[in-house]
Amino acid sequence: VLLLAAPWIVSEYWLAQLTFVLIYSIVGLGLMLLSGYTGLFSLGHAAFLGVGAYTQAALTGVGVPFPFALAAAGIVAAASGVVVGLPALRVKGIYLAIATLSFGFILEEVFARWDTDHNKSLSQQEFKAGWDQVQANMLVYKLHENFLAMDANKDGALEASEYANLELVRKAGASAPPMSSFDVDKSQTLDFKEYLGFVKAMVKSKP
């Protein structure tokens, strides 16, 4: 009852301090459940807390009611725990601690790189731009895997016969552009950078 009445009883300063105490008690409760009941050791709770906190702040910032944002924050934080926990099912002790600590470092590095204005706060625009960059990097990685798979002689370049076997070329048929259109260095082969140019051109040409 006193906690519910605190916003009308205590000053803004003490209300902020009480809020932090309750937030950190959530972290303490999670550590108690993990270490006290299972005997496992985690160093990544700050990262999970950060994921949940950012989710709640982002959702309330776009007008989502607080109870729904709070529930969503718990779900997203739990999902991030599953992402880390599933690969770590077979590790215990110091190895689990290293795995969870690594997640904390990764999250800190990601947030630091996405914070382009360096104000130690990640806006929704910065988050979207960062996530778009992750998706772009994943696409480039997938294209590189495809490039290596089509490079039959493993020389780091696609020859004319390998170019003709590309899925985009086969689908385009007679309308496919010649390989020379993307052979910037006139080597009669396509390296990966030229292959990316070919993919971009083919995607843009689609109706």
Side-chain angles (χ1 to χ4, degrees):
V1 176
L2 290 177
L3 290 176
L4 292 175
W8 294 275
I9 297 176
V10 301
S11 65
E12 183 176 347
Y13 171 80
W14 287 110
L15 182 61
Q17 298 305 308
L18 180 61
T19 301
F20 282 123
V21 169
L22 295 176
I23 290 174
Y24 294 139
S25 67
I26 297 175
V27 184
L29 179 62
L31 282 173
M32 182 188 70
L33 292 173
L34 182 67
S35 302
Y37 286 91
T38 67
L40 300 176
F41 190 53
S42 169
L43 294 175
H45 268 59
F48 300 124
L49 175 67
V51 169
Y54 182 81
T55 301
Q56 193 274 334
L59 291 178
T60 54
V62 296
V64 176
F66 176 78
F68 296 106
L70 185 63
I75 293 172
V76 174
S80 65
V82 172
V83 170
V84 177
L86 287 179
L89 283 175
R90 297 181 178 274
V91 298
K92 295 180 179 179
I94 186 64
Y95 302 104
L96 178 62
I98 292 173
T100 55
L101 181 63
S102 300
F103 177 73
F105 283 143
I106 291 171
L107 197 65
E108 180 181 4
E109 182 68 17
V110 167
F111 274 34
R113 288 182 179 273
W114 289 3
D115 180 20
T116 53
D117 54 8
H118 307 292
N119 63 349
K120 297 183 179 180
S121 176
L122 200 62
S123 67
Q124 295 178 18
Q125 291 77 13
E126 290 172 330
F127 181 85
K128 184 179 184 303
W131 181 246
D132 289 344
Q133 184 62 48
V134 169
Q135 291 180 309
N137 290 340
M138 292 174 64
L139 178 59
V140 171
Y141 176 79
K142 184 177 180 180
L143 290 173
H144 189 256
E145 290 293 306
N146 293 338
F147 176 82
L148 294 178
M150 296 304 299
D151 182 16
N153 53 9
K154 308 303 178 186
D155 61 351
L158 298 181
E159 299 177 355
S161 59
E162 296 166 338
Y163 175 81
N165 286 327
L166 292 174
E167 183 178 356
L168 289 174
V169 174
R170 287 188 284 107
K171 285 184 176 180
S175 62
M179 187 180 75
S180 58
S181 302
F182 311 101
D183 184 15
V184 179
D185 57 6
K186 307 303 179 183
S187 61
Q188 297 185 345
T189 60
L190 293 186
D191 58 22
F192 181 63
K193 185 177 180 179
E194 294 167 336
Y195 171 73
L196 287 179
F198 155 74
V199 173
K200 290 179 182 178
M202 294 298 289
V203 170
K204 288 182 179 179
S205 65
K206 286 185 177 182

